[in-house]
């Protein structure tokens, strides 16, 4: 589930996940550093009912998936872009983390719905860190899209199927 | 009609509107604050012939639609993103304005073609106002897309149907 | 072949070009101003084997196409956005250059695959030069898309056909 900011991708991803049978696990990668982010997290939480178990994991997403993605479950991971941002802040090895994520996806028996931002359609950012982030986000989206069966781009709340 | 900057969305929207029968009304939300914007407005005007009546309304778009969207007319509204920008500058209530717009769309008997920018596919902007604008634009696009029968994303002058 | 940053568009374009019969000519518009750009160029070069002849031409792209786009060849031009950037730096006449490019495309007997960036889906850039670049890139993409038989938007490595 790829989309721009405020494209409705989280809501659409949740609807898809809720259409799957199985115990619902929400994997939140967001960290509430400031009031703005805390508000966004709270807004998203209000959209989910008590049928969802929430796991907060900003960094070890592959480990969480490996631990909980057993059969009979559906996972909603929101979102890969914040996970990547957390990895960059932690100065983690991005290639190793991507490898581990793809490996966890391939071993998972649960249905997993990933939410990610498409961030590469603007002009080249002024600063090198933003360019590095944008490049890494593009590469990560490519790798995860290749590992998933279905990929959709959400525009104005409307899904556009690009794979599957 | 969603599209990026200089994607050809205004031209494509005009072609769709001109394919509809009815009296043509162009609703311009742009305000010529500076020479750059004045030039853009003049460029778009040159593309429309005398069959178009033009109404300039930077803020009360729902009121204009309610007033002129009777049967036998076709409206081209260019564009929602500038309208939103004007609302933000006027410190208007964005939710109330969105509600009023959706209400006006649902009551309209005329065919209405909206032009709007997709602005959420770049990296997260540095400043809070730009983030607020981007979020509001995404939410507005979602609401209007939900209220319209047909939605297209214009890329390089080429329309991609995403609804209808 | 349109796509965002790190969308996989260059790789996809190369795969399409290599599926065409004919002598392979890679037309590189990049100039290695700094280490970052030199690294990107080297990365892309490593992806091409010895079957490719490379021509580096930052500015006179229409001239190169006119010279080498004979029958029995396939050209991969990577990318139009850097070419445009070079034209702006050289203070060239953008309209004349676009006209010359479209003319060269129409006369070409070779299959030509163009790579270009979609840069208009972010918020309006702060500075006037970035806005000018974004507008010019949008117009160029529209003109080239109109002149080509097939246009694809690449998202997360996945092509979405928008023309042809």
């Amino acid at each position: 589930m790829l989309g721009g900011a405020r494209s409705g991708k989280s809501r659409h991803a949740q609807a898809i996940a809720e259409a799957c049978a199985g115990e619902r696990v929400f994997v939140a990668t967001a960290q509430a550093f400031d009031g703005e982010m805390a508000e966004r997290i709270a807004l998203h939480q209000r959209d989910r009912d008590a049928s969802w178990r929430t796991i907060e994991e900003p960094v070890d997403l592959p480990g969480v998936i490996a631990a909980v993605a057993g059969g009979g479950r559906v996972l909603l991971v929101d979102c890969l872009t914040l996970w990547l941002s957390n990895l960059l802040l932690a100065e983690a090895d991005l290639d190793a983390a991507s490898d581990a994520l793809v490996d966890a996806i391939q071993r998972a028996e649960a249905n997993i719905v990933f939410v990610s931002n498409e961030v590469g359609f603007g002009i080249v950012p002024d600063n090198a860190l933003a360019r590095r982030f944008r490049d890494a986000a593009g590469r990560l989206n490519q790798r995860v899209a290749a590992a998933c069966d279905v990929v959709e781009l959400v525009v104005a709340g409307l899904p556009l199927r690009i794979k599957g």
Side-chain angles (χ1 to χ4, degrees), chain A:
Chain A
M1 198 65 48
L2 277 164
R6 275 318 104 153
S7 64
K9 60 192 182 305
S10 289
R11 193 167 304 223
H12 182 67
Q14 186 183 333
I16 285 185
E18 293 185 347
C20 298
E23 186 194 348
R24 295 168 180 168
V25 183
F26 184 83
V27 183
T29 59
Q31 288 179 293
F33 286 122
D34 55 27
E36 187 181 329
M37 187 55 90
E39 198 185 321
R40 280 168 189 261
I41 293 173
L43 262 170
H44 279 183
Q45 276 178 341
R46 280 205 298 273
D47 287 336
R48 292 190 304 276
D49 64 27
S51 69
W52 285 92
R53 174 157 70 107
T54 296
I55 298 174
E56 295 186 11
E57 177 49 62
V59 173
D60 187 18
L61 179 58
V64 165
I65 292 176
V68 303
R73 278 189 180 143
V74 54
L75 270 64
L76 174 52
V77 179
D78 195 347
C79 71
L80 290 181
T81 317
L82 286 171
W83 176 58
L84 180 67
S85 174
N86 296 335
L87 290 177
L88 277 167
L89 284 173
E91 297 182 8
D93 180 334
L94 300 185
D95 287 330
S98 295
D99 288 345
L101 178 64
V102 168
D103 190 59
I105 293 170
Q106 286 163 344
R107 291 170 189 274
E109 292 173 37
N111 286 310
I112 313 181
V113 182
F114 291 98
V115 175
S116 192
N117 279 61
E118 173 54 60
V119 298
F121 285 106
I123 62 160
V124 179
D126 282 338
N127 72 78
L129 182 63
R131 286 198 298 275
R132 198 181 150 218
F133 178 72
R134 195 170 76 139
D135 284 359
R139 274 193 293 264
L140 178 63
N141 283 342
Q142 282 188 57
R143 293 205 60 192
V144 174
C148 290
D149 300 319
V150 174
V151 180
E152 292 185 324
L153 178 68
V154 181
V155 178
L158 302 164
L160 193 64
R161 183 70 60 103
I162 54 177
K163 179 179 179 182

